[in-house]
Amino acid sequence: MSEHIEVGNKKIDVDEDGFIQKWEDWSKDIADYLAKTEGVNEMSKEHWVVVNYLREYYTQYKIAPMIRLLLKETGKRLGQEKAVSNKYLYELFPSGPAKGACKIAGLPKPTGCV
Amino acid sequence: MKGRKDIAWKGVRKQRIDQWGHIKPIENDFLLNPLLLDIRGSGIERKEYYMADEIKKRKTPLLDELEEGPWPSFVTDLKKMAEKKPKANDLLGQLELSYKEKKGHWKHGGLVGVAGYGGGVIGRYSDSSELFPNVKAFHTCRVNQTSGWFYTTEALRELCDIWDKHGSGLTNVHGSTGDFVFLGADTDALEPCFSDLTKAGWDLGGSGSDMRTPSCCNGPARCEFACYDTLDMTYDITMTYQDELHRPAFVYKWKFKMAGCPNDCVASIARSDLAVIGTWRDNIRIDQSAVKEYLDKGLNITSDVIMKCPKQCISLDRNELRINNEDCVKCMHCLNVMPKALRPGKDKGATILIGGKAPIMEGALLSSVLVPFMKIEKPYTEFKDLIERIWEFWDEHGVSRERIGECIQRVGMGNFVEAIGLEPLPEMVSSPRDNPYIFYEEYLEEGEEEEE
């Protein structure tokens, strides 16, 4: 019962929430495709800062960073002195950092608690 | 095929006597039916049994057991809803299967939500959607409840109408966090449902690592013991921390509960990370004429009140009740037995307790005292300042999935209290030290010489 998306000519397996199943499947095209499903019409420079950081962090630690760290690092990479606000992240990714940004970055689904 | 089914449904008739002595015939008793005995291994029979599309009513012998007895049963409610909602009908089927196979059929996790919010919706997917297509997605929406759970009937109808339109129609009123819970929605239904809710003036509650929807007892609206306005404070805190409620950024969940008096009807001490329990610091007010009335009516004050006082600080002197308030631990027993004669003092406020939690990652904890007495008055500035200092500390030092209670245990109460800028007090000691090997460090002031 696997679900999939089609980007270009490639079929990519996703879970029921639309998270891609294989880390290696990810590409910039797929990120663009997934962005549209998450209410991000155009991936701006700021979007890529967040997505690239998530991917770097995941490559190193095999886990998504905590929100606080993400806010700090995003602020730093955007050349600000302070961390960006959580609200700003929701302006970039309407469905939020866990659902939106992580999905676009091709990270596995964060195991949230209820 | 039809013949086989008939045999299966007919089963072996037997009779049973329930707890009131009524004889109840049992049809299709599952355990006595050889055809249905082993459904786990045989896919076909299992499918036939549960894919009951042509059979309007599902056979649920195990769930039926839950309807026995004098109490209301959620199974009865489910069956009622199943007549009009396919989602509820499939839920019945899946639950029956779960009881049969002794195994839950919800997948772990699920991440869904509405735009702009990180919390409020909890994803649920069935692992048996080929058998129960209508519960393939069965998401939960938490709707922020009213303070003290006061609704007009219009409000309740409005909520139920919205949910009938967008979801399974099943609700859980209320969930243990306090929210008005909508059970069972498809992913596509979430945004329209949210939009209808907000149009009607409702909002989603909290979920995930955020501030969960604060909740409180009836407070001064119904109860003479309330020592502060729990309803107003809960509303105020909810509105002040909307960002923390809707956009999870904490290391783990955070629950507030406001209880008006030490009776703690919302069980804040066990079920919240930060409990605000109403109390007073002067003397219990005694109406001696009402005491006399209780005596005249035959209340045995000595055995029912005085002997039950845990601190033995009450006495009866020629029909006059005396309380040694210095020894009182605010157990509320005497006030509960004689509500007409005894009232909380006039100098009211609250005790702030911290660290309660249920056992998920670590064992259960009860809250312990953080601030023995705080005046609770609008706009709650002192309280909010304290909360923000605690959150800052927890953000900085808490590790992922660590409740504040566990965090305090790890860093030590002394360090925690120092970090949030509170003076250590004897009331903060939840239990005396039981380790006899105590090492007292000598702290020397700068410039002071060691003498010996």
Side-chain angles (χ1 to χ4, degrees):
Chain A
M1 253 218 349
S2 70
E3 294 172 38
H4 61 265
I5 52 171
E6 278 189 46
V7 181
N9 298 324
K10 268 179 84 182
K11 265 193 181 179
I12 289 144
D13 287 341
V14 295
D15 72 358
E16 59 271 84
D17 289 325
F19 281 77
I20 65 170
Q21 298 295 74
K22 287 202 207 97
W23 173 253
E24 311 83 59
D25 280 347
W26 188 86
S27 69
K28 294 212 159 181
D29 290 342
I30 288 170
D32 280 329
Y33 176 90
L34 291 171
K36 288 194 178 62
T37 67
E38 289 302 313
V40 180
N41 291 327
E42 176 110 41
M43 288 287 285
S44 68
K45 181 185 131 234
E46 289 80 14
H47 289 102
W48 281 113
V49 164
V50 176
V51 166
N52 287 336
Y53 174 62
L54 286 173
R55 286 191 67 82
E56 281 166 33
Y57 193 94
Y58 189 84
T59 314
Q60 197 172 350
Y61 300 105
K62 297 286 169 236
I63 189 175
M66 299 221 298
I67 299 289
R68 197 181 151 81
L69 204 59
L70 179 64
L71 297 176
K72 256 188 192 165
E73 188 64 24
T74 307
K76 206 162 101 188
R77 293 189 179 197
L78 289 174
Q80 297 169 6
E81 276 180 27
K82 272 167 57 185
V84 297
S85 73
N86 200 8
K87 217 168 177 171
Y88 175 76
L89 222 51
Y90 278 84
E91 279 161 21
L92 286 181
F93 301 95
S95 51
K99 182 169 174 278
C102 283
K103 187 193 279 186
I104 296 168
L107 266 61
K109 181 154 70 187
T111 49
C113 83
V114 291
Chain B
M1 208 56 167
K2 197 165 183 289
R4 207 173 110 197
K5 209 177 229 169
D6 283 346
I7 298 165
W9 294 141
K10 220 176 274 171
V12 181
R13 277 182 177 270
K14 67 165 188 174
Q15 289 185 328
R16 190 176 47 179
I17 297 170
D18 67 14
Q19 66 258 55
W20 301 288
H22 301 137
I23 294 170
K24 296 189 87 179
I26 301 171
E27 282 180 76
N28 310 321
D29 189 312
F30 198 85
L31 293 171
L32 291 174
N33 191 325
L35 267 179
L36 300 175
L37 256 182
D38 183 18
I39 51 158
R40 201 181 300 195
S42 51
I44 302 164
E45 266 135 0
R46 173 177 153 173
K47 203 162 176 167
E48 269 179 18
Y49 189 78
Y50 291 101
M51 278 286 274
D53 280 347
E54 65 275 21
I55 305 160
K56 269 276 184 279
K57 269 189 166 173
R58 286 184 182 279
K59 304 280 176 187
T60 53
L62 290 178
L63 290 181
D64 293 349
E65 293 290 325
L66 298 176
E67 292 185 286
E68 304 277 327
W71 301 279
S73 167
F74 73 99
V75 175
T76 314
D77 294 346
L78 277 180
K79 284 180 177 171
K80 215 166 143 190
M81 194 57 89
E83 286 169 16
K84 59 171 182 175
K85 290 277 190 181
K87 264 188 164 344
N89 198 30
D90 275 5
L91 182 66
L92 264 180
Q94 178 174 316
L95 194 60
E96 177 72 15
L97 183 64
S98 287
Y99 273 79
K100 193 71 63 196
E101 298 183 344
K102 296 189 168 71
K103 172 172 178 280
H105 283 285
W106 299 115
K107 285 189 192 174
H108 178 77
L111 200 59
V112 286
V114 294
Y117 283 14
V121 186
I122 300 116
R124 283 276 180 282
Y125 293 100
S126 167
D127 72 356
S128 306
S129 58
E130 74 284 4
L131 295 178
F132 311 107
N134 293 309
V135 292
K136 184 178 178 201
F138 202 79
H139 308 313
T140 296
C141 298
R142 292 189 180 147
V143 180
N144 200 141
Q145 81 283 15
T146 52
S147 270
W149 303 295
F150 286 102
Y151 300 89
T152 58
T153 50
E154 282 93 6
L156 288 173
R157 280 173 204 287
E158 185 174 68
L159 285 172
C160 290
D161 285 346
I162 291 174
W163 194 231
D164 258 348
K165 185 173 157 199
H166 297 288
S168 74
L170 296 166
T171 56
N172 171 12
V173 185
H174 291 85
S176 50
T177 302
D179 306 81
F180 192 109
V181 185
F182 286 173
L183 297 167
D186 286 326
T187 311
D188 297 342
L190 294 172
E191 286 289 351
C193 177
F194 178 55
S195 131
D196 277 2
L197 276 173
T198 45
K199 252 183 254 161
W202 298 95
D203 199 356
L204 291 182
S207 74
S209 297
D210 65 0
M211 180 186 85
R212 299 299 181 82
T213 325
S215 79
C216 63
C217 68
N218 282 175
R222 299 270 325 252
C223 177
E224 68 271 33
F225 293 147
C227 293
Y228 68 98
D229 192 342
T230 54
L231 307 159
D232 183 72
M233 184 181 186
T234 302
Y235 181 72
D236 191 295
I237 296 295
T238 307
M239 297 315 283
T240 308
Y241 298 116
Q242 281 287 298
D243 204 33
E244 284 76 4
L245 178 64
H246 295 309
R247 287 174 269 278
F250 290 153
V251 295
Y252 205 15
K253 59 182 129 181
W254 176 281
K255 297 179 182 175
F256 277 120
K257 283 203 187 341
M258 325 311 178
C261 78
N263 276 332
D264 196 11
C265 292
V266 277
S268 66
I269 198 163
R271 304 202 306 179
S272 65
D273 295 273
L274 197 117
V276 184
I277 301 181
T279 188
W280 62 93
R281 56 181 168 185
D282 53 352
N283 298 338
I284 295 176
R285 283 178 283 173
I286 309 175
D287 179 350
Q288 296 294 357
S289 61
V291 173
K292 201 168 168 302
E293 237 172 79
Y294 275 113
L295 280 169
D296 292 344
K297 278 185 185 160
L299 176 71
N300 188 338
I301 292 189
T302 309
S303 73
D304 291 356
V305 180
I306 296 177
M307 300 296 283
K308 294 226 166 101
C309 174
K311 300 305 281 185
Q312 293 294 299
C313 62
I314 312 178
S315 57
L316 199 59
D317 180 15
R318 269 169 282 158
N319 289 355
E320 288 235 324
L321 196 74
R322 301 208 188 288
I323 298 174
N324 181 4
N325 280 279
E326 279 203 353
D327 284 350
C328 174
V329 289
K330 317 274 195 301
C331 81
M332 296 296 288
H333 180 75
C334 56
L335 288 98
N336 292 336
V337 178
M338 305 196 293
K340 283 182 187 163
L342 302 176
R343 277 193 295 166
K346 280 182 181 161
D347 189 8
K348 292 170 179 175
T351 301
I352 315 289
L353 298 98
I354 196 162
K357 61 179 275 297
I360 296 183
M361 303 300 277
E362 302 263 337
L365 289 174
L366 285 179
S367 312
S368 61
V369 173
L370 182 66
V371 181
F373 188 88
M374 184 188 278
K375 276 284 184 193
I376 302 290
E377 275 152 7
K378 240 177 148 56
Y380 314 108
T381 316
E382 189 185 356
F383 179 76
K384 287 175 191 167
D385 284 350
L386 176 70
I387 296 311
E388 280 158 29
R389 293 203 301 274
I390 296 172
W391 280 348
E392 205 169 296
F393 174 85
W394 188 41
D395 264 350
E396 191 71 44
H397 299 281
V399 298
S400 184
R401 298 268 172 119
E402 185 180 51
R403 297 283 284 269
I404 187 70
E406 294 157 356
C407 182
I408 293 172
Q409 278 190 334
R410 184 169 53 82
V411 302
M413 189 66 173
N415 291 327
F416 172 71
V417 166
E418 195 182 342
I420 61 165
L422 285 182
E423 281 295 311
L425 293 168
E427 285 92 338
M428 292 173 181
V429 179
S430 56
S431 59
R433 191 199 294 264
D434 53 12
N435 181 349
Y437 300 100
I438 302 168
F439 177 64
Y440 288 104
E441 270 178 78
E442 295 261 1
Y443 290 102
L444 296 173
E445 294 289 320
E446 213 173 313
E448 208 175 325
E449 289 288 320
E450 207 168 337
E451 276 172 20
E452 285 163 274

